[in-house]
Amino acid sequence: MPGAVRLNPTDEMLHAAADTLGSSRIVQVLWSFDRPVPRHTLEAEWERLDQGRLSRRAAPSRVPGARRSWVRAHNTERLDTTARPVTADTLMEWADREVRVPLPPGSSALWRLAAAPYGSGSVVSLAVPHFRCDGLGIFDAIASGGLPDRTVPEAAIASGRPPDASGPLGDAVDVLRQAARAGVDTARWLPRLLGSPAERAGLAAALRRPPAGPPVAGEPRFFTSLIVETDAIAWEEKARARGGTVNSLFIEIAANLVRAAVRTGAPTPIEVGLPMTLRESKDDGRANALVVLPLTVQGGPPRHSGLRRTRDATRELLSRTGERGSTLVPEALWHLLPAGRSHRLLRPGAQQTDVVASNFGRTPDAVARFTGRPADGVAVRTMNVPGVVADRARIRASLCLVRTGDRMAVTVTGMPDHFGDGSSLARLVGEELSAWGLRADRWWGAGPTPHARDA
Protein backbone atom coordinates (compact mmCIF):
# COMPACT_ATOMS: atom_id res chain seq x y z
CA MET A 1 0.00 0.00 0.00
CA PRO A 2 1.51 3.40 -0.94
CA GLY A 3 2.18 5.75 1.94
CA ALA A 4 0.18 8.89 2.63
CA VAL A 5 1.55 12.09 4.12
CA ARG A 6 -0.51 12.82 7.21
CA LEU A 7 -1.06 16.13 8.96
CA ASN A 8 0.96 16.66 12.13
CA PRO A 9 0.11 18.74 15.20
CA THR A 10 1.71 21.89 13.80
CA ASP A 11 -0.34 21.58 10.61
CA GLU A 12 -3.51 21.16 12.67
CA MET A 13 -2.63 24.07 14.94
CA LEU A 14 -2.03 26.40 11.99
CA HIS A 15 -5.25 25.24 10.33
CA ALA A 16 -7.14 26.24 13.46
CA ALA A 17 -5.24 29.49 14.09
CA ALA A 18 -7.98 31.65 12.63
CA ASP A 19 -10.31 30.33 15.34
CA THR A 20 -7.88 30.18 18.27
CA LEU A 21 -5.75 33.27 17.61
CA GLY A 22 -8.00 35.28 15.33
CA SER A 23 -5.54 35.18 12.44
CA SER A 24 -3.83 32.97 9.89
CA ARG A 25 -0.11 32.96 9.15
CA ILE A 26 1.19 33.50 5.62
CA VAL A 27 4.74 32.89 4.37
CA GLN A 28 5.70 35.24 1.55
CA VAL A 29 8.73 34.96 -0.74
CA LEU A 30 9.57 38.15 -2.64
CA TRP A 31 11.88 38.56 -5.60
CA SER A 32 13.03 41.71 -7.36
CA PHE A 33 14.43 41.52 -10.90
CA ASP A 34 16.33 44.27 -12.68
CA ARG A 35 14.70 43.28 -15.98
CA PRO A 36 11.00 42.65 -16.70
CA VAL A 37 9.80 39.08 -16.27
CA PRO A 38 7.45 38.18 -19.16
CA ARG A 39 4.00 36.91 -18.26
CA HIS A 40 4.51 33.67 -20.19
CA THR A 41 7.56 32.93 -18.00
CA LEU A 42 5.49 33.49 -14.87
CA GLU A 43 2.71 31.30 -16.26
CA ALA A 44 5.21 28.49 -16.77
CA GLU A 45 6.39 28.89 -13.16
CA TRP A 46 2.78 28.86 -11.95
CA GLU A 47 2.10 25.60 -13.81
CA ARG A 48 5.30 24.06 -12.46
CA LEU A 49 4.43 24.96 -8.88
CA ASP A 50 0.90 23.63 -9.33
CA GLN A 51 2.37 20.19 -10.05
CA GLY A 52 4.36 20.21 -6.83
CA ARG A 53 4.08 20.09 -3.08
CA LEU A 54 2.28 23.41 -2.63
CA SER A 55 -0.86 22.18 -4.40
CA ARG A 56 -2.47 19.75 -2.00
CA ARG A 57 -5.36 19.74 0.44
CA ALA A 58 -6.20 18.05 3.71
CA ALA A 59 -8.54 15.08 3.16
CA PRO A 60 -10.64 14.08 6.20
CA SER A 61 -10.07 10.68 7.74
CA ARG A 62 -12.81 8.04 7.57
CA VAL A 63 -11.87 6.22 10.75
CA PRO A 64 -11.93 7.91 14.18
CA GLY A 65 -8.44 8.47 15.50
CA ALA A 66 -6.76 8.54 12.10
CA ARG A 67 -4.94 11.64 11.00
CA ARG A 68 -6.03 13.66 8.00
CA SER A 69 -4.04 13.16 4.80
CA TRP A 70 -2.48 15.51 2.31
CA VAL A 71 -3.70 14.77 -1.22
CA ARG A 72 -3.07 16.44 -4.56
CA ALA A 73 -5.27 19.37 -5.52
CA HIS A 74 -5.41 22.03 -8.22
CA ASN A 75 -4.84 25.64 -7.28
CA THR A 76 -7.69 27.88 -8.43
CA GLU A 77 -5.90 31.09 -7.42
CA ARG A 78 -4.62 32.14 -10.81
CA LEU A 79 -1.49 34.11 -11.60
CA ASP A 80 -2.06 37.83 -11.05
CA THR A 81 -0.09 40.40 -13.01
CA THR A 82 -0.69 44.10 -13.34
CA ALA A 83 0.53 46.75 -15.75
CA ARG A 84 0.51 49.36 -13.00
CA PRO A 85 4.08 49.89 -11.78
CA VAL A 86 5.04 49.48 -8.16
CA THR A 87 7.34 52.23 -6.90
CA ALA A 88 9.74 52.41 -3.97
CA ASP A 89 6.99 54.20 -2.04
CA THR A 90 4.29 51.61 -2.80
CA LEU A 91 6.27 48.35 -2.81
CA MET A 92 5.40 47.29 0.73
CA GLU A 93 1.76 48.31 0.22
CA TRP A 94 1.65 46.00 -2.79
CA ALA A 95 3.32 43.18 -0.83
CA ASP A 96 0.83 43.69 2.01
CA ARG A 97 -2.10 43.45 -0.40
CA GLU A 98 -0.73 40.16 -1.68
CA VAL A 99 -0.61 38.51 1.75
CA ARG A 100 -4.10 39.81 2.55
CA VAL A 101 -5.71 37.94 -0.38
CA PRO A 102 -7.80 35.18 1.29
CA LEU A 103 -6.39 31.65 1.07
CA PRO A 104 -8.63 29.90 3.63
CA PRO A 105 -8.01 26.28 4.72
CA GLY A 106 -11.15 24.79 3.20
CA SER A 107 -10.94 26.49 -0.17
CA SER A 108 -9.24 25.55 -3.44
CA ALA A 109 -7.31 28.83 -3.42
CA LEU A 110 -4.09 27.16 -2.30
CA TRP A 111 -1.35 29.75 -2.88
CA ARG A 112 -0.89 32.98 -4.82
CA LEU A 113 1.72 34.07 -7.37
CA ALA A 114 1.68 37.70 -8.47
CA ALA A 115 3.96 40.18 -10.20
CA ALA A 116 4.14 43.85 -11.05
CA PRO A 117 6.51 46.21 -12.90
CA TYR A 118 9.12 47.67 -10.54
CA GLY A 119 11.64 50.27 -11.70
CA SER A 120 13.37 48.87 -14.78
CA GLY A 121 12.31 45.30 -13.89
CA SER A 122 9.71 43.34 -11.94
CA VAL A 123 8.77 42.37 -8.41
CA VAL A 124 7.28 38.91 -7.81
CA SER A 125 5.42 37.56 -4.78
CA LEU A 126 4.60 33.99 -3.76
CA ALA A 127 2.23 33.79 -0.79
CA VAL A 128 1.57 30.42 0.86
CA PRO A 129 -0.45 29.68 4.02
CA HIS A 130 1.87 28.39 6.74
CA PHE A 131 -0.44 25.42 7.39
CA ARG A 132 0.25 24.28 3.82
CA CYS A 133 4.04 24.56 3.99
CA ASP A 134 6.68 26.10 6.25
CA GLY A 135 9.32 28.48 4.97
CA LEU A 136 12.10 25.99 4.27
CA GLY A 137 9.50 23.64 2.80
CA ILE A 138 8.53 26.38 0.37
CA PHE A 139 12.17 26.73 -0.67
CA ASP A 140 12.32 22.97 -1.24
CA ALA A 141 9.05 23.02 -3.20
CA ILE A 142 10.30 25.82 -5.46
CA ALA A 143 13.56 23.99 -6.01
CA SER A 144 11.95 20.61 -6.62
CA GLY A 145 11.33 21.26 -10.30
CA GLY A 146 7.58 20.95 -9.76
CA LEU A 147 7.79 17.21 -9.15
CA PRO A 148 5.02 15.92 -6.87
CA ASP A 149 5.85 14.70 -3.40
CA ARG A 150 7.13 11.16 -3.88
CA THR A 151 5.10 9.90 -0.91
CA VAL A 152 1.81 10.91 -2.54
CA PRO A 153 0.41 8.12 -4.76
CA GLU A 154 0.22 8.77 -8.49
CA ALA A 155 -3.48 7.80 -8.47
CA ALA A 156 -4.21 10.71 -6.16
CA ILE A 157 -2.18 13.05 -8.34
CA ALA A 158 -4.20 12.11 -11.40
CA SER A 159 -7.64 12.10 -9.80
CA GLY A 160 -7.41 14.61 -6.98
CA ARG A 161 -9.29 12.12 -4.81
CA PRO A 162 -8.02 10.77 -1.50
CA PRO A 163 -5.69 7.83 -2.22
CA ASP A 164 -6.25 4.33 -0.94
CA ALA A 165 -3.73 5.00 1.82
CA SER A 166 -6.05 7.69 3.20
CA GLY A 167 -9.23 5.64 2.68
CA PRO A 168 -10.81 3.43 5.37
CA LEU A 169 -8.13 0.74 5.22
CA GLY A 170 -5.29 3.26 5.24
CA ASP A 171 -6.96 5.13 8.10
CA ALA A 172 -7.32 1.92 10.12
CA VAL A 173 -3.63 1.16 9.55
CA ASP A 174 -2.76 4.69 10.66
CA VAL A 175 -4.74 4.30 13.89
CA LEU A 176 -2.97 1.03 14.67
CA ARG A 177 0.43 2.50 13.93
CA GLN A 178 -0.33 5.57 16.01
CA ALA A 179 -1.50 3.42 18.92
CA ALA A 180 1.64 1.24 18.76
CA ARG A 181 3.91 4.24 18.50
CA ALA A 182 2.02 6.03 21.28
CA GLY A 183 2.61 3.08 23.59
CA VAL A 184 6.34 2.93 22.87
CA ASP A 185 6.90 6.69 22.97
CA THR A 186 4.84 7.12 26.14
CA ALA A 187 6.82 4.38 27.89
CA ARG A 188 10.01 6.28 27.06
CA TRP A 189 8.54 9.65 27.98
CA LEU A 190 7.01 8.85 31.37
CA PRO A 191 10.31 8.35 33.25
CA ARG A 192 11.53 11.74 32.00
CA LEU A 193 8.23 13.34 33.01
CA LEU A 194 8.32 11.79 36.48
CA GLY A 195 11.90 12.93 36.95
CA SER A 196 11.27 16.55 35.94
CA PRO A 197 9.20 18.73 38.31
CA ALA A 198 9.29 21.58 35.78
CA GLU A 199 7.91 19.38 33.00
CA ARG A 200 5.17 18.02 35.28
CA ALA A 201 4.22 21.54 36.33
CA GLY A 202 4.04 22.68 32.72
CA LEU A 203 1.87 19.73 31.77
CA ALA A 204 -0.48 20.32 34.72
CA ALA A 205 -0.79 24.02 33.86
CA ALA A 206 -1.59 23.18 30.25
CA LEU A 207 -4.33 20.75 31.28
CA ARG A 208 -5.92 23.45 33.44
CA ARG A 209 -5.99 25.84 30.50
CA PRO A 210 -9.58 26.74 29.58
CA PRO A 211 -11.01 25.44 26.29
CA ALA A 212 -10.30 27.53 23.21
CA GLY A 213 -13.18 29.78 22.31
CA PRO A 214 -13.85 32.41 19.67
CA PRO A 215 -11.30 35.22 19.40
CA VAL A 216 -11.56 37.75 22.19
CA ALA A 217 -12.86 41.17 21.39
CA GLY A 218 -10.12 43.33 20.00
CA GLU A 219 -8.96 44.75 16.73
CA PRO A 220 -6.30 42.64 14.97
CA ARG A 221 -3.08 44.60 14.43
CA PHE A 222 -1.60 44.15 10.96
CA PHE A 223 2.15 44.51 11.41
CA THR A 224 4.26 47.25 9.88
CA SER A 225 6.91 45.71 7.64
CA LEU A 226 10.16 46.53 5.88
CA ILE A 227 13.02 44.79 4.09
CA VAL A 228 16.64 45.93 4.23
CA GLU A 229 19.79 44.46 2.68
CA THR A 230 23.29 44.63 4.09
CA ASP A 231 26.69 43.14 3.26
CA ALA A 232 26.90 39.47 4.26
CA ILE A 233 30.68 39.44 4.73
CA ALA A 234 30.52 42.49 6.99
CA TRP A 235 27.79 40.76 9.03
CA GLU A 236 30.03 37.73 9.52
CA GLU A 237 33.03 39.86 10.49
CA LYS A 238 31.11 42.01 12.99
CA ALA A 239 29.64 38.89 14.61
CA ARG A 240 32.99 37.11 14.82
CA ALA A 241 34.68 40.19 16.30
CA ARG A 242 32.22 40.08 19.19
CA GLY A 243 32.61 36.37 19.82
CA GLY A 244 29.43 35.40 18.02
CA THR A 245 28.03 33.93 14.84
CA VAL A 246 25.78 35.16 12.05
CA ASN A 247 22.81 33.72 13.94
CA SER A 248 23.68 35.09 17.39
CA LEU A 249 24.04 38.59 15.92
CA PHE A 250 20.65 38.16 14.27
CA ILE A 251 19.12 37.08 17.59
CA GLU A 252 20.56 40.09 19.41
CA ILE A 253 19.26 42.46 16.74
CA ALA A 254 15.78 40.95 17.18
CA ALA A 255 16.02 41.24 20.97
CA ASN A 256 17.27 44.84 20.74
CA LEU A 257 14.29 45.90 18.67
CA VAL A 258 12.02 44.57 21.43
CA ARG A 259 14.17 46.20 24.12
CA ALA A 260 14.00 49.54 22.33
CA ALA A 261 10.38 49.67 21.17
CA VAL A 262 8.34 47.25 23.28
CA ARG A 263 9.98 46.94 26.70
CA THR A 264 11.67 50.39 26.58
CA GLY A 265 14.38 49.51 29.06
CA ALA A 266 12.36 47.24 31.37
CA PRO A 267 14.56 44.52 32.96
CA THR A 268 11.99 41.78 32.25
CA PRO A 269 13.63 38.90 30.31
CA ILE A 270 12.76 38.58 26.63
CA GLU A 271 11.86 35.35 24.87
CA VAL A 272 13.12 35.04 21.31
CA GLY A 273 11.45 32.26 19.31
CA LEU A 274 13.98 30.25 17.28
CA PRO A 275 12.43 28.01 14.62
CA MET A 276 14.43 24.78 14.30
CA THR A 277 13.88 22.60 11.27
CA LEU A 278 13.21 18.90 11.72
CA ARG A 279 13.59 18.18 8.00
CA GLU A 280 16.15 15.54 7.16
CA SER A 281 16.11 16.16 3.42
CA LYS A 282 14.55 18.33 0.75
CA ASP A 283 12.23 15.41 -0.04
CA ASP A 284 10.59 15.58 3.39
CA GLY A 285 6.86 15.54 2.56
CA ARG A 286 5.58 17.08 5.80
CA ALA A 287 3.87 20.44 5.48
CA ASN A 288 5.44 21.77 8.68
CA ALA A 289 8.58 20.16 10.04
CA LEU A 290 9.85 22.58 12.62
CA VAL A 291 9.65 23.40 16.30
CA VAL A 292 9.98 26.86 17.83
CA LEU A 293 12.36 26.94 20.78
CA PRO A 294 12.10 29.91 23.18
CA LEU A 295 15.49 31.46 24.01
CA THR A 296 15.45 33.66 27.09
CA VAL A 297 17.74 36.71 26.93
CA GLN A 298 18.10 39.55 29.39
CA GLY A 299 15.93 42.64 29.20
CA GLY A 300 16.95 46.22 29.85
CA PRO A 301 18.30 48.69 27.28
CA PRO A 302 19.61 47.56 23.88
CA ARG A 303 22.97 45.76 24.00
CA HIS A 304 25.68 46.09 21.35
CA SER A 305 28.66 44.45 23.02
CA GLY A 306 29.73 40.82 23.19
CA LEU A 307 27.75 38.00 21.59
CA ARG A 308 29.39 35.07 23.39
CA ARG A 309 26.62 34.70 25.97
CA THR A 310 23.92 34.64 23.28
CA ARG A 311 25.96 32.21 21.16
CA ASP A 312 26.52 29.82 24.07
CA ALA A 313 22.88 29.99 25.22
CA THR A 314 21.67 29.28 21.68
CA ARG A 315 23.97 26.29 21.28
CA GLU A 316 22.93 24.92 24.64
CA LEU A 317 19.25 25.30 23.78
CA LEU A 318 19.61 23.60 20.40
CA SER A 319 21.67 20.74 21.80
CA ARG A 320 19.42 19.74 24.69
CA THR A 321 18.52 16.09 24.66
CA GLY A 322 14.94 14.92 24.50
CA GLU A 323 12.19 14.75 21.94
CA ARG A 324 11.65 17.79 19.74
CA GLY A 325 8.07 18.42 18.82
CA SER A 326 5.15 20.79 18.95
CA THR A 327 3.26 18.90 21.68
CA LEU A 328 3.76 18.53 25.44
CA VAL A 329 3.11 14.78 25.20
CA PRO A 330 4.37 12.33 22.55
CA GLU A 331 2.86 13.29 19.18
CA ALA A 332 1.40 9.83 18.55
CA LEU A 333 -0.41 10.01 21.90
CA TRP A 334 -1.53 13.57 21.18
CA HIS A 335 -3.21 12.48 17.94
CA LEU A 336 -5.32 9.91 19.80
CA LEU A 337 -6.60 12.31 22.48
CA PRO A 338 -10.05 13.97 22.25
CA ALA A 339 -9.95 17.37 20.56
CA GLY A 340 -11.22 19.10 23.68
CA ARG A 341 -8.09 18.05 25.56
CA SER A 342 -5.45 17.82 22.85
CA HIS A 343 -5.53 21.53 22.02
CA ARG A 344 -4.35 22.25 25.56
CA LEU A 345 -1.26 20.10 25.02
CA LEU A 346 0.26 22.03 22.13
CA ARG A 347 3.43 23.92 22.96
CA PRO A 348 2.85 27.69 23.01
CA GLY A 349 4.86 28.19 19.82
CA ALA A 350 5.99 31.31 18.01
CA GLN A 351 2.91 33.38 18.80
CA GLN A 352 3.64 33.22 22.53
CA THR A 353 7.20 34.57 22.36
CA ASP A 354 8.10 38.27 22.29
CA VAL A 355 9.82 38.10 18.91
CA VAL A 356 10.57 35.38 16.37
CA ALA A 357 13.96 35.27 14.61
CA SER A 358 13.78 32.98 11.56
CA ASN A 359 17.16 32.39 9.92
CA PHE A 360 16.64 30.76 6.50
CA GLY A 361 20.36 30.52 5.73
CA ARG A 362 21.54 30.66 2.12
CA THR A 363 18.97 30.91 -0.64
CA PRO A 364 19.00 27.74 -2.78
CA ASP A 365 20.17 28.44 -6.30
CA ALA A 366 16.82 27.40 -7.79
CA VAL A 367 15.09 30.01 -5.60
CA ALA A 368 17.66 32.71 -6.35
CA ARG A 369 17.08 31.96 -10.06
CA PHE A 370 13.29 31.73 -9.93
CA THR A 371 11.84 32.25 -13.44
CA GLY A 372 15.14 31.04 -14.85
CA ARG A 373 17.08 34.25 -14.32
CA PRO A 374 19.08 35.52 -11.31
CA ALA A 375 17.04 37.71 -9.01
CA ASP A 376 18.36 41.12 -8.03
CA GLY A 377 17.12 40.41 -4.50
CA VAL A 378 15.27 37.73 -2.51
CA ALA A 379 13.45 38.22 0.78
CA VAL A 380 11.12 36.20 3.00
CA ARG A 381 8.60 37.30 5.57
CA THR A 382 5.84 35.77 7.66
CA MET A 383 2.68 37.79 8.25
CA ASN A 384 -0.43 37.31 10.36
CA VAL A 385 -3.67 38.04 8.47
CA PRO A 386 -5.77 40.01 9.29
CA GLY A 387 -3.26 40.66 12.07
CA VAL A 388 -2.41 39.72 15.64
CA VAL A 389 -5.06 40.03 18.34
CA ALA A 390 -2.93 41.42 21.16
CA ASP A 391 -4.89 39.68 23.93
CA ARG A 392 -4.52 36.29 22.24
CA ALA A 393 -0.86 36.36 21.22
CA ARG A 394 2.25 37.67 22.91
CA ILE A 395 4.33 38.23 19.78
CA ARG A 396 5.16 41.83 18.99
CA ALA A 397 7.76 41.47 16.23
CA SER A 398 9.07 38.95 13.72
CA LEU A 399 12.32 38.92 11.75
CA CYS A 400 13.47 36.79 8.81
CA LEU A 401 17.05 36.55 7.56
CA VAL A 402 18.16 35.07 4.22
CA ARG A 403 21.48 35.27 2.42
CA THR A 404 21.59 35.52 -1.36
CA GLY A 405 25.07 35.85 -2.82
CA ASP A 406 26.99 38.48 -0.88
CA ARG A 407 23.95 40.16 0.66
CA MET A 408 21.80 39.56 3.71
CA ALA A 409 18.11 40.45 3.39
CA VAL A 410 16.50 41.20 6.75
CA THR A 411 12.72 41.42 6.92
CA VAL A 412 11.34 43.11 10.04
CA THR A 413 7.66 43.20 10.94
CA GLY A 414 6.38 44.80 14.11
CA MET A 415 3.13 45.70 15.82
CA PRO A 416 2.41 49.34 14.91
CA ASP A 417 1.37 50.11 18.50
CA HIS A 418 5.07 49.84 19.37
CA PHE A 419 6.99 50.34 16.13
CA GLY A 420 4.84 52.93 14.39
CA ASP A 421 4.70 53.27 10.61
CA GLY A 422 7.24 52.20 8.02
CA SER A 423 9.35 55.34 8.43
CA SER A 424 9.59 54.92 12.20
CA LEU A 425 10.46 51.25 11.86
CA ALA A 426 13.09 52.03 9.20
CA ARG A 427 14.76 54.58 11.47
CA LEU A 428 14.88 52.09 14.34
CA VAL A 429 16.27 49.29 12.17
CA GLY A 430 18.81 51.62 10.54
CA GLU A 431 20.03 52.76 13.95
CA GLU A 432 20.27 49.17 15.16
CA LEU A 433 22.36 48.08 12.18
CA SER A 434 24.58 51.13 12.52
CA ALA A 435 25.19 50.35 16.20
CA TRP A 436 26.74 47.04 15.10
CA GLY A 437 28.83 48.76 12.44
CA LEU A 438 26.59 47.56 9.59
CA ARG A 439 25.29 49.70 6.75
CA ALA A 440 21.88 49.47 5.15
CA ASP A 441 22.91 49.07 1.51
CA ARG A 442 19.41 48.81 0.10
CA TRP A 443 15.86 49.32 1.37
CA TRP A 444 12.92 47.59 -0.26
CA GLY A 445 10.14 50.15 -0.27
CA ALA A 446 11.71 52.42 2.36
CA GLY A 447 13.88 54.42 -0.02
CA PRO A 448 15.55 54.33 -3.46
CA THR A 449 16.88 51.02 -4.73
CA PRO A 450 19.63 50.46 -7.31
CA HIS A 451 17.22 49.85 -10.17
CA ALA A 452 14.19 51.82 -8.98
CA ARG A 453 15.56 55.31 -8.43
CA ASP A 454 13.46 56.72 -11.24
CA ALA A 455 10.33 54.69 -10.46
Side-chain angles (χ1 to χ4, degrees):
M1 179 184 298
V5 180
R6 304 272 177 171
L7 275 71
N8 63 34
T10 304
D11 304 335
E12 297 287 5
M13 175 187 66
L14 291 167
H15 262 86
D19 296 325
T20 58
L21 293 174
S23 66
S24 296
R25 201 154 178 81
I26 303 293
V27 182
Q28 185 179 39
V29 184
L30 291 161
W31 294 265
S32 70
F33 295 90
D34 57 9
R35 291 180 298 163
V37 181
R39 181 178 172 89
H40 67 83
T41 300
L42 291 166
E43 289 174 342
E45 289 290 355
W46 188 99
E47 294 290 346
R48 187 179 67 87
L49 292 175
D50 196 40
Q51 296 300 313
R53 191 178 299 159
L54 298 184
S55 287
R56 56 185 182 179
R57 62 180 177 82
S61 63
R62 304 181 186 184
V63 174
R67 297 169 295 169
R68 293 194 290 170
S69 303
W70 289 112
V71 299
R72 283 284 299 127
H74 173 65
N75 182 26
T76 58
E77 185 69 30
R78 301 302 304 178
L79 169 68
D80 181 76
T81 59
T82 177
R84 182 177 182 180
V86 171
T87 69
D89 292 331
T90 62
L91 174 59
M92 296 313 298
E93 294 177 12
W94 177 83
D96 286 347
R97 284 197 300 272
E98 288 305 312
V99 297
R100 288 177 187 262
V101 173
L103 301 169
S107 76
S108 57
L110 307 179
W111 44 271
R112 179 173 171 85
L113 184 66
Y118 179 46
S120 62
S122 300
V123 60
V124 178
S125 163
L126 174 64
V128 183
H130 207 314
F131 64 78
R132 199 172 302 286
C133 203
D134 59 30
L136 288 177
I138 292 172
F139 275 10
D140 291 341
I142 293 171
S144 69
L147 297 176
D149 188 337
R150 289 187 297 185
T151 62
V152 177
E154 291 295 327
I157 296 169
S159 67
R161 297 191 302 271
D164 293 341
S166 61
L169 180 57
D171 287 346
V173 171
D174 184 62
V175 172
L176 293 175
R177 286 176 176 169
Q178 288 293 106
R181 182 180 169 189
V184 173
D185 291 351
T186 301
R188 293 173 178 169
W189 167 70
L190 281 176
R192 189 178 77 239
L193 176 68
L194 296 175
S196 172
E199 192 166 347
R200 292 200 307 274
L203 183 62
L207 290 171
R208 290 194 297 269
R209 193 181 305 155
V216 296
E219 188 69 22
R221 312 294 204 279
F222 188 79
F223 280 14
T224 303
S225 186
L226 63 80
I227 302 169
V228 61
E229 291 181 2
T230 188
D231 184 83
I233 302 301
W235 187 297
E236 291 176 343
E237 292 174 347
K238 299 300 181 183
R240 187 164 51 248
R242 290 170 172 81
T245 62
V246 166
N247 199 48
S248 53
L249 175 53
F250 179 49
I251 291 168
E252 274 300 320
I253 288 173
N256 277 340
L257 294 178
V258 174
R259 291 174 179 128
V262 181
R263 297 290 179 80
T264 59
T268 310
I270 294 168
E271 279 197 347
V272 182
L274 306 181
M276 185 182 80
T277 183
L278 302 177
R279 295 183 186 277
E280 298 179 355
S281 75
K282 60 183 177 58
D283 296 320
D284 193 318
R286 289 174 290 178
N288 286 273
L290 58 81
V291 61
V292 176
L293 305 177
L295 176 69
T296 301
V297 299
Q298 69 184 65
R303 303 169 61 246
H304 302 99
S305 53
L307 294 170
R308 189 174 300 276
R309 179 185 298 180
T310 303
R311 182 199 66 187
D312 292 345
T314 302
R315 287 179 176 173
E316 194 275 332
L317 177 66
L318 296 177
S319 65
R320 284 178 191 166
T321 58
E323 294 293 325
R324 299 292 194 186
S326 58
T327 56
L328 295 171
V329 300
E331 282 194 6
L333 175 62
W334 182 89
H335 277 294
L336 298 176
L337 295 174
R341 188 166 297 274
S342 63
H343 83 275
R344 296 182 173 98
L345 299 176
L346 286 165
R347 293 191 188 277
Q351 301 300 292
Q352 300 307 327
T353 59
D354 295 295
V355 57
V356 176
S358 303
N359 185 353
F360 288 83
R362 289 181 180 268
T363 307
D365 185 64
V367 177
R369 295 182 61 85
F370 187 66
T371 72
R373 64 194 67 197
D376 188 49
V378 180
V380 183
R381 65 176 185 162
T382 57
M383 298 291 288
N384 286 77
V385 180
V388 167
V389 180
D391 294 334
R392 281 273 176 171
R394 178 177 164 190
I395 188 171
R396 294 298 180 266
S398 176
L399 283 75
C400 295
L401 178 70
V402 62
R403 177 174 179 171
T404 306
D406 60 357
R407 288 189 288 185
M408 295 287 200
V410 185
T411 303
V412 182
T413 64
M415 185 170 281
D417 305 52
H418 304 289
F419 293 94
D421 61 11
S423 297
S424 299
L425 181 59
R427 283 194 298 272
L428 181 62
V429 171
E431 291 169 359
E432 176 63 20
L433 292 176
S434 179
W436 293 102
L438 297 171
R439 185 181 65 201
D441 292 333
R442 178 192 184 198
W443 297 93
W444 291 43
T449 61
H451 64 274
R453 297 182 188 277
D454 299 325

